[in-house]
Amino acid sequence: MTVGSLSVAVLAGGPSAEAAVSRVSARAVAEALRAAGHTVHVLEVSEALPSLLASIQIDAVFPALHGRLGEDGCVQGLLEVMGLPYVGSGVLASAVAAYKPFAKGRFAELGVNQAEGVVVNSRMPVGECVELIWKTLGKHVVLKPASGGSAIGVTRMSDEDDGAAFRAALEAAFLIEANVLVERREHGLEVTCGVLEDDAGEPKALPPTQILAKAADWYDFKSRYGTSASEHLCPAPFETAVIAEIQKLAVLAHRAVGARDLSRVDFVVDPGARRVTVLEVNTLPGMTPTSLFPEACAVMGLSFSTLCDKLVRRAAARPRTEAPAVVPMPA
């Protein structure tokens, strides 16, 4: 190994609907870390992961994971038990951000502007779910699994959709997750803003990006990951006051869920009305060739290889949590 290099485990895949996306992110991260001079072990998340991690010398772990078990605090808990330092948020922050209704609760406590929403569960009769949605929010809504990302299982509904369309959309979402978050659709543009902590641990907002989907009329799965399926305008072409508001809310949302190292916050922005609505926080932003977080870093002059190098070095240097002295049972 070169001087100062680390042995890094990059985690990929796992039992998640977003496993394919994760593997693409992992390959990109692994290439970037090797370019920075590190020794890299790409490991698939499975029941064999603990033994694989224990069998090699690891200085830091980079979870290039998305969705269930990888982004929701589960893998982070394993790494805590094994005493392995890792890139990204801890167990609690990962879990809070991954389960969108919990994150919305934290946003509400801090007064962050967000879309009104309601949670429905697969144990409820689908007809009752539809009635609750219409009564609470109307028909102009977005249905999404309460956890997960990459727009998998997400359906946008409108006033023209009837009960059958709503039932079909709910049943499709329930196949992915028992809890479905339904939010009122906000008018505006799709925007995202990354947050990267500096060496002192202070979160700093990256330039916001306006997303122009080409594969659909919104930023769906194909638009996110298909070749030339979307256009990203970074920095977003908004007036200074709107940019400042987006960046302020991105940092506030990052702090609201207790995120660490990095995150990406998604918004709906109405620049004319200067209205910025927070949708969700992603504690492990995508690192694929079409991903938004590394693209915004590049605009700031931070190459992908340097970004990954900084993240693993920060993780490796993080003070270890020492086990407390065991308190003996009373006689």
Side-chain angles (χ1 to χ4, degrees):
M1 292 190 295
T2 58
V3 176
S5 66
L6 302 173
S7 176
V8 183
V10 177
L11 306 187
S16 165
E18 299 173 72
V21 178
S22 166
R23 294 183 186 110
V24 177
S25 283
R27 285 197 295 270
V29 169
E31 290 174 6
L33 290 173
R34 290 186 180 114
H38 302 295
T39 299
V40 180
H41 312 267
V42 178
L43 305 178
E44 182 79 10
V45 173
S46 70
E47 64 276 6
L49 181 61
S51 59
L52 289 172
L53 288 169
S55 68
I56 52 180
Q57 180 64 42
I58 296 294
D59 296 309
V61 178
F62 197 125
L65 300 169
H66 309 303
R68 180 174 174 266
L69 297 184
E71 202 169 2
D72 59 4
C74 292
V75 159
Q76 289 76 11
L78 169 65
L79 298 175
E80 292 285 351
V81 170
M82 297 187 71
L84 294 173
Y86 55 93
V87 170
S89 296
V91 176
L92 180 59
S94 298
V96 169
Y99 188 67
K100 297 174 179 64
F102 282 0
K104 286 177 74 69
R106 290 292 295 132
F107 298 159
E109 291 173 9
L110 295 180
V112 174
N113 185 51
Q114 58 181 318
E116 183 180 358
V118 64
V119 178
V120 293
N121 185 274
S122 60
R123 293 191 300 270
M124 300 169 59
V126 178
E128 290 185 12
C129 294
V130 174
E131 289 179 9
L132 176 62
I133 293 166
W134 288 1
K135 180 180 179 181
T136 307
L137 303 171
K139 290 185 173 183
H140 202 66
V141 296
V142 178
L143 285 69
K144 61 182 75 173
S147 304
S150 293
I152 295 173
V154 177
T155 305
R156 303 204 314 174
M157 311 300 294
S158 69
D159 293 336
E160 289 73 38
D161 290 311
D162 59 11
F166 269 80
R167 286 191 292 273
L170 282 170
E171 287 166 355
F174 286 145
L175 290 175
I176 297 174
E177 186 171 349
N179 291 324
V180 171
L181 173 64
V182 186
E183 293 178 307
R184 180 173 285 123
R185 281 174 62 180
E186 296 289 325
H187 171 75
L189 306 172
E190 294 183 272
V191 175
T192 196
C193 185
V195 176
L196 180 65
E197 293 185 357
D198 63 18
D199 293 338
E202 283 296 313
K204 306 292 183 182
L206 300 176
T209 301
Q210 180 185 347
I211 303 160
L212 303 175
K214 293 183 177 179
D217 61 355
W218 65 288
Y219 198 44
D220 66 351
F221 186 84
K222 186 174 181 180
S223 296
R224 290 166 189 254
Y225 303 113
T227 303
S228 301
S230 66
E231 182 180 357
H232 306 158
L233 305 181
C234 185
F238 304 146
E239 59 181 283
T240 302
V242 175
I243 293 287
E245 181 68 8
I246 293 168
Q247 292 181 314
K248 182 188 79 173
L249 289 176
V251 170
L252 192 60
H254 177 95
R255 286 184 165 137
V257 301
R260 181 179 68 186
D261 288 342
L262 74 166
S263 70
R264 199 197 72 238
V265 184
D266 296 337
F267 300 88
V268 172
V269 177
D270 184 344
R274 294 188 178 180
R275 180 176 175 82
V276 179
T277 302
V278 174
L279 296 179
E280 60 187 74
V281 180
N282 303 273
T283 53
L284 286 176
M287 296 293 181
T288 74
T290 60
S291 290
L292 297 151
F293 189 92
E295 187 177 69
C297 287
V299 169
M300 292 285 290
L302 183 63
S303 72
F304 188 49
S305 180
T306 302
L307 168 66
C308 293
D309 177 70
K310 283 180 175 290
L311 289 170
V312 296
R313 289 189 184 279
R314 183 180 302 163
R318 195 169 284 140
R320 306 294 195 271
T321 301
E322 295 185 7
V326 176
V327 178
M329 294 293 291

